[in-house]
DNA sequence: CATGCATCATACTCACCGGTAGCTATCCTA
DNA sequence: TAGGATAGCTACCGGTGAGTATGATGCATG
């Protein structure tokens, strides 16, 4: 049998990957509850019922642990952008879709790490890496806003400030949302989007605060 | 002279208060730049060109330092609420005023501490104290929103979610704003309020994104 | 001048925590 | 079945930083 050893090796590799991800998740969970600095690697190891060197067997150091959590949190948002780009709809609807996934990501178990990974806690290399990922998201939102203003689906606005406001509101979810909450991440995101789309000033066409139903709301002026 | 010693004593007391505030400000500055956990009391002492025990002469411990910074940051917001309550205007305008001061507070030197004082870094007593202060602000915003929906100056909305969105966007300013920025805190707050008031969906009555009455500073940056 | 309080420094303790050295056990592969 | 990779442990090191013991200096008061 020549295939057998290879298969076994693949299985081991996959096994290792699974365990590694368990370490990442345990770290995210601990960071969520106690914060990065208040979490020791012993804590994480204890949560997994292993010893500290075992944790180091799967990741190289604490910083990388935070980084992995960050990436795990932000990746869904990036894919949301890719999917939205292929969508055939107004820019506001594409933005809607992206923000929905954004909100869910922030409310996920990795939300804390994604939102709170501070430059100050990271090596310069990691810091620039994370900043570039964050900037990619920011630029993506600004771009959708510009496109929306252009195609008339979004009220004229300053894209930079508006993007900051949107991202800020959604990011902040990570500060107050806890798993056992009555609302899911998707529900919160939906509620926020409603708030952002309607605005505080009453609309003449306002029917009890709900957006004029989901998809093609509003005048796609042109 | 019997008054003289008393006066001298008062002067000393005031002197001490001034120095104490300098310590608080230095701490806020350091927390701003490097984060709470990455700032040692030696750092703060060095910034003031004194030694660590001197710092301890003015504050009892590091946690209290953070707490004082928090209070210094949040106090302007509380007074903004008090002033707004005496205002004779629609709820939306009162909310506008409060959010303006809110934004300025977050962009101030104490913004970081106010926004990032984490429960996890604080003793239970401090934590509950801070949480009650934060809750007071939150409830104040919700109240203004409810009043606005009632008096018709605000589009019908879920007060809780809307308050979260508003506070989140403004709080997040502390994450990206740096002193040397081209915009002042007030300008940013004004820009945010414009975004929130108009909403993303275009308005028929919209002339280039300005609100009709626009006593707000309105669109700022290019 | 003597006393006492306010102010601040030197120099330490002590605990925690990130990270490592080095050993052991298991099990796949040759 | 020997050899090597995988996976895990106990025990430790070294640095850091919060907080303190002790004492020096200065200044107002009696």
């Amino acid at each position: 049998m020549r295939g057998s050893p290879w298969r076994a090796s693949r299985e081991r590799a996959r096994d290792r990957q699974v365990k590694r991800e368990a370490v990442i998740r345990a770290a995210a969970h601990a960071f969520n509850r106690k914060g990065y600095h208040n979490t020791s690697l012993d804590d994480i190891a204890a949560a997994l019922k292993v010893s500290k060197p075992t944790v180091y067997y799967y990741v190289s150091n604490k910083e990388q642990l935070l980084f992995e959590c960050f990436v795990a949190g932000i990746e869904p948002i990036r894919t949301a952008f890719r999917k939205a780009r292929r969508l055939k709809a107004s820019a506001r609807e594409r933005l809607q879709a992206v923000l929905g996934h954004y909100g869910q990501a922030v409310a996920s178990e990795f939300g804390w790490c994604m939102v709170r990974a501070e430059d100050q806690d990271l090596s310069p290399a990691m810091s620039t890496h994370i900043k570039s990922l964050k900037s990619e998201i920011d630029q993506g939102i600004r771009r959708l806003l510009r496109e929306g203003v252009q195609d008339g689906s979004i009220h004229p606005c300053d894209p930079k400030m508006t993007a900051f406001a949107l991202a800020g509101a959604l990011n902040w979810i990570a500060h107050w949302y806890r798993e056992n909450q009555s609302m899911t991440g998707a529900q919160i995101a939906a509620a926020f989007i409603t708030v952002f789309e309607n605005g505080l000033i009453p609309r003449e066409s306002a029917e009890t605060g709900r957006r004029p139903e989901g998809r093609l709301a509003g005048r796609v002026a042109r």
Side-chain angles (χ1 to χ4, degrees), chain A residues 21 43 46 54 75 79 84 94 102 114 128-129 133 139 149 151 175 185 187 198 215-216 219 222:
Chain A
E21 278 161 16
D43 291 336
T54 302
E75 204 50 52
T79 63
R94 279 177 286 148
Y102 194 129
M114 186 186 59
T128 57
H129 194 161
L133 286 170
Q139 293 300 330
V149 171
D151 74 13
H175 279 70
Q187 286 171 321
N198 281 328
R215 324 267 311 152
L216 276 202
R219 30 267 131 183
R222 44 164 39 198

Side-chain angles (χ1 to χ4, degrees), chain A residues 27 65 79 105 111 126 145 160 183 216-217:
Chain A
L65 214 42
T79 63
M126 285 277 171
L145 286 169
K160 181 178 166 186
M183 296 177 76
L216 276 202

Side-chain angles (χ1 to χ4, degrees), chain A residues 28-170:
Chain A
H29 195 72
F31 293 159
N32 244 323
R33 284 214 338 271
K34 316 190 348 177
Y36 179 69
H37 288 283
N38 296 319
T39 300
S40 73
L41 286 178
D42 279 314
D43 291 336
I44 296 169
L48 292 163
K49 295 193 208 299
V50 296
S51 67
K52 187 164 54 171
T54 302
V55 172
Y56 274 95
Y57 181 66
Y58 291 100
V59 298
S60 58
N61 53 37
K62 193 182 180 183
E63 182 188 29
Q64 199 204 357
L65 214 42
L66 179 58
F67 179 73
E68 300 281 359
C69 292
F70 174 86
V71 171
I74 210 170
E75 204 50 52
I77 302 180
R78 300 181 72 203
T79 63
F81 268 108
R82 280 194 295 272
K83 278 199 286 192
R85 195 163 302 142
R86 291 200 305 272
L87 226 63
K88 198 57 199 157
S90 75
R92 194 182 73 240
E93 285 169 303
R94 279 177 286 148
L95 178 62
Q96 216 177 80
V98 166
L99 294 184
H101 285 97
Y102 194 129
Q104 282 181 70
V106 173
S108 79
E109 53 185 335
F110 298 112
W112 194 95
C113 307
M114 186 186 59
V115 155
R116 311 246 200 125
E118 303 284 341
D119 316 345
Q120 310 137 351
D121 303 331
L122 298 166
S123 68
M126 285 277 171
S127 178
T128 57
H129 194 161
I130 282 190
K131 268 195 261 199
S132 83
L133 286 170
K134 283 183 178 175
S135 168
E136 181 189 325
I137 307 293
D138 180 44
Q139 293 300 330
I141 294 178
R142 292 191 200 185
R143 180 202 179 92
L144 281 173
L145 286 169
R146 276 195 307 270
E147 289 176 12
V149 171
Q150 211 136 36
D151 74 13
S153 62
I154 291 182
H155 190 89
C157 63
D158 175 356
K160 181 178 166 186
M161 283 296 117
T162 307
F164 275 153
L166 291 171
L170 291 167

Side-chain angles (χ1 to χ4, degrees), chain A residues 92 155 162 166 191-204 206 208-212 219:
Chain A
R92 194 182 73 240
H155 190 89
T162 307
L166 291 171
F192 272 33
I193 292 170
T194 301
V195 170
F196 279 123
E197 296 207 324
N198 281 328
L200 295 177
I201 299 177
R203 290 170 184 272
E204 299 80 350
T208 51
R210 285 288 302 143
R211 258 186 330 99
R219 30 267 131 183

